[in-house]
Amino acid sequence: MAAGFKTAEPLEYHRSFLKENCRPDGRELSEFRTTTLNIGSISTADGSALVKMGNTTIICGIKAELANPTVEAPAKGYIVPNVDLPPLCSSRFRPGPPGEQAQAASQFVADVIESSEVIKAEDLCIDRGKLCWVLYCDIMCLDYDGNILDACIIALLAALKNTRLPEITINKDTCAPEVNLKVRHGLHVHKHPVGTSFCVFDDSILIVDPTADEERLATAQLSVVTDEEGRLCSVHKPGGVSLSAEKLQDCISRATLRQKEIQKLIDKVVNSVTTAQ
């Protein structure tokens, strides 16, 4: 009976739960799904991480390549993120070039990298004007059940902390770079940005960490990214109804708490892997 109601009247079905201050999956309105993290699972990548938030599953692999710095920024390397939402993660996605949602997610991740200064581009420079690292961050969704933006940022941050780059020396005689794969160094992660996403129901009820069903029925969505100093790195609101200043402040406060939890989780996993090695 409940399944029929959910299919025929999805919005009314959700409202019947929201009236009782809970959600169809049993969570409270301000409760996040269980978040788990593994790092270093892709042996062919220079750094990797797998994140699960409820059923939403995201993997991030980082591949470092040598390149020439741009003329405009001779002392900087660069980071190129790409979010892939393949048909395997949900029937809503079709094969072919990246759709609108995947492109928007890639842009969101790129904006967060830039605004948060998680990695300083200068740290990726090897030889000014001649040689730098490019970090290709491939983020793929394996199972889509809403709130991919938060999961993408966690996967990216954990993968960056797991990345080890080989030592590069410039040969004095030939001026050619020489790669020493036996000696690897970690990246200097300057900031720890974490995203917290919300949905608004019926223009007034605020819920965190929405599932795919909740996203589809919401009247607005909002993602807030903060770092460990409580600095606001990004606010992403793709259309929908406007939010009061009070509600926005509430979202930022919750995002600040979430940042601390996720940073603790990432540090714990990174330390346990380091200890195991």
Side-chain angles (χ1 to χ4, degrees):
M1 175 64 199
F5 180 31
K6 183 183 174 184
T7 311
E9 295 284 350
L11 192 52
E12 287 306 321
Y13 175 76
H14 274 76
R15 279 179 184 146
S16 67
F17 285 92
L18 296 173
K19 275 210 298 272
E20 308 295 326
N21 278 332
C22 70
R23 293 151 77 172
D25 60 9
R27 283 186 289 160
E28 291 177 17
L29 305 190
S30 60
E31 196 179 333
F32 292 87
R33 291 172 288 183
T34 302
T35 306
T36 58
L37 171 67
N38 283 308
I39 60 170
S41 36
I42 307 177
S43 57
T44 51
D46 294 305
S48 61
L50 176 80
V51 173
K52 283 196 76 162
M53 289 175 60
N55 291 328
T56 291
T57 310
I58 298 273
I59 194 160
C60 174
I62 296 179
K63 203 79 187 123
E65 287 185 12
L66 293 170
N68 300 107
T70 60
V71 178
E72 304 82 53
K76 292 182 177 183
Y78 35 108
I79 303 178
V80 183
N82 180 58
V83 177
D84 187 15
L85 302 173
L88 88 101
C89 75
S90 167
S91 56
R92 73 174 64 205
F93 303 117
R94 297 274 163 264
E100 201 177 315
Q101 193 177 350
Q103 288 179 38
S106 295
Q107 189 56 55
F108 171 77
V109 173
D111 291 345
V112 169
I113 290 169
E114 193 174 339
S115 64
S116 69
E117 294 188 317
V118 54
I119 299 281
K120 285 197 164 40
E122 293 84 357
D123 293 350
L124 299 174
C125 179
I126 300 161
D127 190 3
R128 186 188 164 90
K130 294 178 184 168
L131 198 64
C132 69
W133 286 113
V134 183
L135 302 181
Y136 290 101
C137 307
D138 287 316
I139 303 168
M140 183 186 273
C141 181
L142 303 179
D143 195 348
Y144 183 95
D145 189 20
N147 196 6
I148 58 157
L149 297 184
D150 290 8
C152 284
I153 297 297
I154 298 172
L156 174 76
L157 181 54
L160 286 170
K161 290 191 74 111
N162 176 243
T163 298
R164 296 281 176 274
L165 299 182
E167 188 176 70
I168 304 290
T169 47
I170 307 292
N171 186 306
K172 294 270 192 304
D173 303 325
T174 61
C175 293
E178 292 174 353
V179 183
N180 182 357
L181 294 170
K182 289 194 174 72
V183 181
R184 286 180 174 263
H185 303 287
L187 289 168
H188 185 47
V189 176
H190 290 268
K191 291 279 187 270
H192 294 74
V194 173
T196 305
S197 292
F198 304 84
C199 268
V200 181
F201 261 89
D202 291 337
D203 302 350
S204 60
I205 303 167
L206 200 62
I207 61 169
V208 308
D209 184 20
T211 62
D213 284 345
E214 288 168 341
E215 281 180 351
R216 202 164 52 242
L217 299 168
T219 48
Q221 292 181 39
L222 173 76
S223 295
V224 176
V225 182
T226 59
D227 67 15
E228 62 267 49
E229 288 162 14
R231 195 173 61 102
L232 198 56
C233 304
S234 173
V235 175
H236 175 68
K237 187 176 180 300
V241 296
S242 60
L243 283 178
S244 66
E246 193 184 352
K247 270 209 165 50
L248 187 57
Q249 194 50 59
D250 181 25
C251 292
I252 294 168
S253 304
R254 291 192 205 183
T256 309
L257 289 173
R258 175 71 170 167
Q259 192 284 332
K260 290 182 172 66
E261 285 171 20
I262 293 300
Q263 187 173 345
K264 221 180 273 177
L265 171 70
I266 292 175
D267 287 345
K268 189 175 125 189
V269 174
V270 168
N271 291 339
S272 69
V273 168
T274 313
T275 313
Q277 286 169 348

